[in-house]
Amino acid sequence: MLGSGGIGSYLAALLPYFTQNYECLLFGDSKILTQYAGKNTSIENCETKTFSVNELFRFPKSLLKKINDCALFYSPYCNVPGGIKIPVYTTIHDVVFLDVPGLASRTGTFIRKLCYLYAIKKSKLIFTVSEFSKERIIHHLKCRKDVVVTYNAVPSWFLEKKSMLPEKKQDYILFVGNIKKHKGLSILIDAFLEARNKGFSPCLKIVGNANNFRTNDQTVLNKIQNAPNGSIVFTGKISDEDLRSLYKNALRLVQPSYYEGFGMPPLEAMNLGTKVILSDIPVFKEIYKDFPVVFFETGNSSDLCNKLLLIKDDTEPINNLPDIYSFERTFSIIRRALEEHS
């Protein structure tokens, strides 16, 4: 799962804690996993794709034997290879496909639900990243297993010393995340264009590639195409270092989501000295209630427009961010749960 978006980042941040505290067998792309090699860690190359028929029914027997010689199997996601006989612990980050109609076909949604149910059936307990996600897992999947909330966090390499922050912000607001309907980009564009008509000058930078724009709403594409020249910019595919720079130099990060399981970009932005405007969805109110953020009414472009017009071109540091999310703490929750249920 390393390198696969948010879940890959979650795993990459946790792996050093596992390898320092347990004797580990890691399987996947051995070229990527080499960085985690050590005296207590063995690495096995595995080319079987996640959520494939081969993973479920034709997983390599030689690797299964080595897995079944371990004390337990932990996954950062909800895929479980067939043939595992030791205790299994999986992670369901969210059930967005069950909560938001239209993100996948009926068949696609049904298959995803089967994957969730299979993970629950095989697992001694389930991990998730917020109380909101826990409630939705129990609601949709009628889960009677223990669901342990671990929360997410910012990896240590993403943190920034205040002395390294820019003296002056650049003239843009930032949107980070995939561009599916539930991310709320449509509302942000409406609010942004309304604000432009009222004299708002910063441009909107969207992290991603316009060619990968996923939506059935052609009107959104038309709004982008008809926006004033240069006012809405897609960054294309960028490196982690480029993303850090975009976060640091933005006037604001705007996260207008209708749905999230946790929502990492606001935490990343604030740790890089950038203030945040958020929709007031339940999970954001749960995760960021103690943080210095500005909420707007979910789905209300006029309210978001008003919040944009209040943006100041300032570089005041964000002081005293709550120290409540860290991967050291996340791992300690996972470790305690594993030991209590093993």
Side-chain angles (χ1 to χ4, degrees):
M1 301 299 293
L2 285 171
S4 56
I7 293 164
S9 298
Y10 179 83
L11 176 57
L14 285 174
L15 266 177
Y17 294 101
F18 275 98
T19 57
Q20 290 164 18
N21 289 276
Y22 291 105
E23 184 177 347
C24 294
L25 166 66
L26 309 181
F27 62 91
D29 187 334
S30 58
K31 294 178 182 177
I32 298 175
L33 290 173
T34 299
Q35 61 185 302
Y36 300 101
K39 65 177 182 179
N40 293 325
T41 304
S42 56
I43 294 170
E44 293 288 335
N45 191 60
C46 179
E47 298 178 357
T48 305
K49 292 184 178 180
T50 55
F51 297 105
S52 65
V53 172
N54 285 342
E55 182 183 54
L56 197 56
F57 298 108
R58 295 191 291 270
F59 200 73
K61 291 183 178 179
S62 59
L63 182 52
L64 269 179
K65 185 178 185 306
K66 293 181 179 181
I67 292 172
N68 286 325
D69 285 338
C70 297
L72 62 88
F73 172 84
Y74 167 83
S75 173
Y77 203 37
C78 53
N79 56 307
V80 183
I84 292 181
K85 299 176 182 179
I86 57 177
V88 169
Y89 301 84
T90 57
T91 311
I92 300 177
H93 291 252
D94 60 55
V95 287
V96 61
F97 289 97
L98 305 183
D99 261 330
V100 181
L103 283 185
S105 65
R106 288 186 178 181
T107 301
T109 300
F110 178 71
I111 291 172
R112 285 174 172 85
K113 187 170 185 178
L114 288 180
C115 290
Y116 293 143
L117 290 171
Y118 180 72
I120 289 172
K121 179 181 178 181
K122 297 291 292 184
S123 300
K124 291 195 70 172
L125 64 79
I126 306 293
F127 294 107
T128 193
V129 294
S130 65
E131 291 291 343
F132 171 78
S133 281
K134 175 179 178 178
E135 186 274 326
R136 303 314 292 163
I137 289 167
I138 294 170
H139 170 78
H140 281 291
L141 304 172
K142 313 303 179 191
C143 179
R144 291 187 171 87
K145 303 280 181 73
D146 286 343
V147 181
V148 177
V149 176
T150 64
Y151 289 111
N152 217 323
V154 176
S156 58
W157 62 266
F158 216 99
L159 303 177
E160 190 69 89
K161 296 179 180 178
K162 288 183 180 179
S163 61
M164 300 296 289
L165 298 178
E167 293 183 3
K168 181 177 176 58
K169 294 284 189 176
Q170 296 179 16
D171 202 27
Y172 66 88
I173 60 174
L174 188 66
F175 173 88
V176 177
N178 67 59
I179 339 179
K180 295 177 183 177
K181 186 176 180 180
H182 67 284
K183 294 294 185 178
L185 182 58
S186 175
I187 291 298
L188 173 54
I189 291 170
D190 286 343
F192 173 75
L193 293 177
E194 183 182 347
R196 292 280 297 193
N197 289 334
K198 296 179 179 180
F200 186 71
S201 61
C203 72
L204 167 61
K205 289 192 178 183
I206 300 172
V207 173
N209 192 324
N211 294 329
N212 295 328
F213 192 88
R214 294 189 201 173
T215 179
N216 294 322
D217 190 351
Q218 184 63 37
T219 59
V220 177
L221 284 171
N222 290 339
K223 289 174 186 176
I224 293 173
Q225 291 166 355
N226 294 327
N229 188 38
S231 63
I232 300 178
V233 179
F234 285 87
T235 65
K237 186 176 181 179
I238 58 173
S239 66
D240 288 340
E241 191 55 42
D242 287 337
L243 178 58
R244 280 167 53 92
S245 178
L246 282 170
Y247 273 133
K248 284 197 298 183
N249 290 292
L251 287 171
R252 294 291 186 276
L253 171 80
V254 184
Q255 203 73 19
S257 307
Y258 287 96
Y259 188 98
E260 297 283 352
F262 182 96
M264 279 299 298
L267 199 57
E268 293 169 344
M270 284 185 282
N271 275 282
L272 289 170
T274 294
K275 297 176 183 178
V276 176
I277 301 174
L278 294 173
S279 54
D280 61 354
I281 57 176
V283 73
F284 282 166
K285 299 288 277 190
E286 173 193 344
I287 301 300
Y288 296 108
K289 63 182 183 297
D290 296 323
F291 284 73
V293 302
V294 172
F295 288 105
F296 75 94
E297 182 182 351
T298 303
N300 188 331
S301 61
S302 294
D303 188 30
L304 177 52
C305 170
N306 291 335
K307 299 300 191 295
L308 293 178
L309 291 172
L310 293 174
I311 290 176
K312 297 178 181 179
D313 183 5
D314 61 58
T315 52
E316 290 180 21
I318 302 175
N319 294 314
N320 303 318
L321 283 180
D323 185 23
I324 55 179
Y325 305 121
S326 71
F327 275 108
E328 182 177 9
R329 187 170 301 177
T330 297
F331 174 75
S332 69
I333 294 171
I334 294 171
R335 183 179 187 177
R336 183 168 61 249
L338 294 177
E339 291 174 355
E340 288 176 355
H341 286 79
S342 61

